[in-house]
Amino acid sequence: MSIMDDDREVGKLEKQWWKESVVYQIYPRSFLDSNDDGVGDLGGIIEKLDYIHDLGADVIWLCPIYDSPNADNGYDIRDYRTIMKEFGTMKDFDKLLSEAHRKNLKIVMDLVVNHTSDEHEYFQKSRQNPANRYRDYYIWKDGKNGSEPNNWGSAFGGSAWKYDNAVKQYYLHLFAEKQPDLNWENPEVRRSVYKMMAWWLEKGVDGFRMDVINAISKDQRFLDGDAALGQKYGSWGKYVNNGPRVHEFLREMNREVLSKYDIMTVGETSGITTDDALKYAGFDSHELNMVFQFEHVDLGSDENGKWNDRPISLHDLKEVVTRWQTKLNGKAWNSLFWGNHDQPRAVSRYGDDGKYREKSAKLLATLLFTLQGTPFVYQGEEIGMTNVPFDDISQFRDIETKNAYRDLIRKYPENIEKVMRLIRARSRDNARTPMQWDDARNAGFSQGDPWIPVNPNYREINVKNNICDPDSVYHYYQAMIHLRKKYPALIYGTYSPFLEDHKQIFCYQRTLENQSLLILLNFSENTAEIRLPEEIAAEGGKLLISNCRFPKNEFLAGTMVFQPYDGNVYLMN
Ligand code: GLC
Ligand code: CA
């Protein structure tokens, strides 16, 4: 059986290229610097297209490359139709796109339209005079009793409102001050966004990853959010995430733009449930192809939000994965990811970045590539890059991290070690240090001074070493991607969990018509004993791939012993 057996359907699912693709995410600033100014650029990406292609990826998601003053590294866009000078020119972009297409790689752009930069022409005009049609492009409100219009806090700390002396009103910014939120209630704003999207699609880009897209429709009452005891700021979550008109807006976007092209769309949607996902990415919903959900990355959040260093509980992780796999099956499509530019390194968060670094990185890859959904690999994950051991706040660059440090130091003035521990565990800069290409100066990223320090472990962990070593994390990613393309059950098959109460083992079966694979993963640093249910053991199965150098348990047996972080995939008889 191959994916091409019948033309449109497999099992009960419609075939689509974006379901069968593996996406490689690039953070251009940190990927490869081709002119040695310390900042990665489009030239660097062009140089490495073969590397990405050889890994087996089909699609590249580019984090924002548009003109930006970089308050939030490009997520604050000044001009949506111009390339950031540091990254190159539109000519470079056109070259990147055509070279990528020539190598059968698609390019998906980051679409950041919940907000613009405050330096965007629209915002500049918006603050000029009230009669101006741009005034209503953003969200301006009068203060209340001499302070902000409501208690909403910004995602990056402080108030979500900023008073503007010229306008004599406050504008809303869910993120940094330099990221004013667009007013999606205004049809002109929406038309302008759709026009810009069509402009890129006409150029030939293959889709969009939509930044915080479930926040575009705000509850127009602008009520105070819930605030934790003793906290000044309340959460906008329930008035903004999945707001009243968001589905109407996305269906309109789909009708006006998306439906006219054969593209991939994925929405970044924090704080959604599986029911929400069915609305955004349902097969009949005419909105998006898929969404990023955040339940697994949010595990362990506490009174400091994401700033904690609690280990992930396997029980909770299994529960989240199983719920998403089963609730969306046959109705909507999942996205699969461990890391991205906003998360710590996958192996540090979900695996073991010490003794079992390579083994656990491979274990995570096994899970990533054997679930239903489209897998996303974040640059460096495929070589097992880890969190950075920065010990001083001056080494960090990220605005969210710096603001969190300020707030945490205020909260724990006596305990700077604790603050640094939390920052180190969760800072987005963990994922943003330069890609480690080889053991030369600056990990081969740049001959100049990198904009952010290189992780000191680059002499050991780098692409060159990975490529030389047939047992490396890189080669395992390659093999897993290959396996996924060979067995359609891994893409389209249904998911059934087993051993749900096992404290160390993650076990599930993927089945499509008469093809069935069993995945067995030991998510612990101890030996694990496995007793398979009768019906599974009776079927029997043969090992297809293992992350062990000398694989044991070549055939499925009723009782098996797995060493720390062992992961095996079996083809059932
Ligand atoms: C998204 C991006 C993140 C950015 C934020 C504001 O969460 O992934 O990097 O800071 O939106 O644009
Ligand atoms: Ca450069």
Side-chain angles (χ1 to χ4, degrees), residues 146-413:
S147 77
E148 291 86 4
N150 68 25
N151 73 351
W152 293 359
S154 143
F156 293 160
S159 170
W161 298 94
K162 164 105 171 149
Y163 187 73
D164 189 282
N165 277 319
V167 177
K168 305 223 160 2
Q169 279 187 314
Y170 292 82
Y171 68 84
L172 178 69
H173 61 90
L174 296 181
F175 296 90
E177 273 177 33
K178 283 180 71 63
Q179 293 169 299
D181 281 59
L182 281 165
N183 177 19
W184 274 71
E185 298 292 316
N186 182 340
E188 271 187 46
V189 166
R190 306 202 298 273
R191 262 197 300 277
S192 158
V193 167
Y194 305 154
K195 227 172 118 186
M196 178 272 291
M197 293 170 70
W199 187 85
W200 281 100
L201 291 166
E202 286 302 315
K203 245 183 184 308
V205 305
D206 303 286
F208 295 109
R209 172 269 184 187
M210 304 186 185
D211 194 62
V212 292
I213 200 67
N214 64 328
I216 55 178
S217 163
K218 279 81 177 166
D219 184 324
Q220 295 298 302
R221 295 171 298 169
F222 292 94
L223 301 175
D224 277 347
D226 302 328
L229 201 66
Q231 292 292 306
K232 180 161 171 201
Y233 299 113
S235 157
W236 38 259
K238 77 176 183 209
Y239 299 114
V240 168
N241 286 338
N242 319 311
R245 296 181 70 190
V246 69
H247 297 291
E248 175 196 332
F249 294 161
L250 287 175
R251 278 195 299 268
E252 180 184 76
M253 178 194 282
N254 187 295
R255 203 170 53 237
E256 299 294 321
V257 196
L258 307 177
S259 60
K260 301 181 180 160
Y261 301 86
D262 179 22
I263 52 173
M264 170 187 282
T265 54
V266 49
E268 187 204 20
T269 51
S270 71
I272 62 160
T273 61
T274 51
D275 283 339
D276 294 319
L278 294 180
K279 294 185 194 152
Y280 287 111
F283 293 139
D284 307 316
S285 62
H286 302 288
E287 296 187 20
L288 305 174
N289 293 156
M290 60 191 123
V291 287
F292 290 125
Q293 60 85 16
F294 282 75
E295 284 199 54
H296 60 303
V297 306
D298 288 341
L299 288 174
S301 290
D302 60 12
E303 72 277 6
N304 292 324
K306 77 175 203 179
W307 303 100
N308 68 80
D309 60 352
R310 224 169 266 130
I312 297 276
S313 121
L314 177 65
H315 173 269
D316 295 350
L317 182 66
K318 288 204 280 192
E319 190 278 322
V320 169
V321 169
T322 296
R323 186 155 36 78
W324 281 85
Q325 289 287 301
T326 41
K327 289 266 164 83
L328 266 55
N329 181 42
K331 298 185 180 135
W333 195 246
N334 268 295
S335 74
L336 309 166
F337 71 100
W338 289 120
N340 60 37
H341 64 293
D342 293 329
Q343 297 298 328
R345 286 286 173 184
V347 71
S348 302
R349 179 100 201 277
Y350 302 94
D352 172 351
D353 63 9
K355 185 170 171 199
Y356 294 109
R357 183 183 63 85
E358 294 182 85
K359 193 88 181 283
S360 65
K362 293 174 186 174
L363 187 85
L364 291 168
T366 315
L367 183 52
L368 182 73
F369 293 115
T370 58
L371 291 174
Q372 192 187 77
T374 299
F376 287 70
V377 176
Y378 179 68
Q379 67 182 44
E381 179 187 316
E382 77 282 14
I383 56 168
M385 278 177 66
T386 67
N387 280 357
V388 272
F390 290 166
D391 45 23
D392 195 282
I393 192 64
S394 69
Q395 293 166 295
F396 291 87
R397 302 285 179 267
D398 169 33
I399 181 167
E400 182 195 43
T401 306
K402 290 190 201 165
N403 291 355
Y405 177 82
R406 187 195 57 205
D407 295 346
L408 289 166
I409 281 286
R410 222 174 273 149
K411 192 162 172 190
Y412 306 108

Side-chain angles (χ1 to χ4, degrees), residues 112-129:
V112 188
V113 290
N114 172 67
H115 45 267
T116 68
S117 163
D118 64 342
E119 297 181 27
H120 190 283
E121 182 194 347
Y122 288 168
F123 191 73
Q124 294 298 316
K125 289 186 173 156
S126 181
R127 66 172 25 148
Q128 268 163 20
N129 80 66

Side-chain angles (χ1 to χ4, degrees), residues 390-507:
F390 290 166
D391 45 23
D392 195 282
I393 192 64
S394 69
Q395 293 166 295
F396 291 87
R397 302 285 179 267
D398 169 33
I399 181 167
E400 182 195 43
T401 306
K402 290 190 201 165
N403 291 355
Y405 177 82
R406 187 195 57 205
D407 295 346
L408 289 166
I409 281 286
R410 222 174 273 149
K411 192 162 172 190
Y412 306 108
E414 310 290 312
N415 203 344
I416 182 159
E417 275 98 75
K418 171 182 172 126
V419 171
M420 283 312 295
R421 212 174 59 236
L422 303 184
I423 294 283
R424 262 200 304 273
R426 299 306 298 277
S427 168
R428 308 196 292 184
D429 280 339
N430 282 306
R432 298 179 179 185
T433 61
M435 178 73 182
Q436 293 163 206
W437 294 104
D438 55 36
D439 56 4
R441 189 175 124 90
N442 298 327
F445 163 73
S446 173
Q447 292 296 315
D449 284 334
W451 68 277
I452 185 171
V454 173
N455 192 321
N457 64 18
Y458 73 91
R459 286 200 178 80
E460 182 204 340
I461 304 172
N462 60 56
V463 169
K464 195 170 154 211
N465 284 351
N466 266 262
I467 293 204
C468 293
D469 173 7
D471 281 321
S472 67
V473 177
Y474 172 86
H475 287 296
Y476 190 79
Y477 265 73
Q478 223 177 18
M480 275 312 307
I481 294 175
H482 188 74
L483 194 78
R484 185 177 174 86
K485 304 217 155 163
K486 188 163 168 201
Y487 293 97
L490 289 180
I491 298 173
Y492 292 108
T494 52
Y495 165 101
S496 335
F498 293 100
L499 308 177
E500 285 171 278
D501 295 325
H502 200 298
K503 299 234 165 3
Q504 298 161 279
I505 295 289
F506 201 152
C507 172

Side-chain angles (χ1 to χ4, degrees), residues 32-42 44 86-87 445-446:
L32 181 64
D33 175 15
S34 68
N35 64 349
D36 296 326
D37 63 354
V39 176
D41 46 48
L42 299 185
E86 290 173 298
F87 290 174
F445 163 73
S446 173

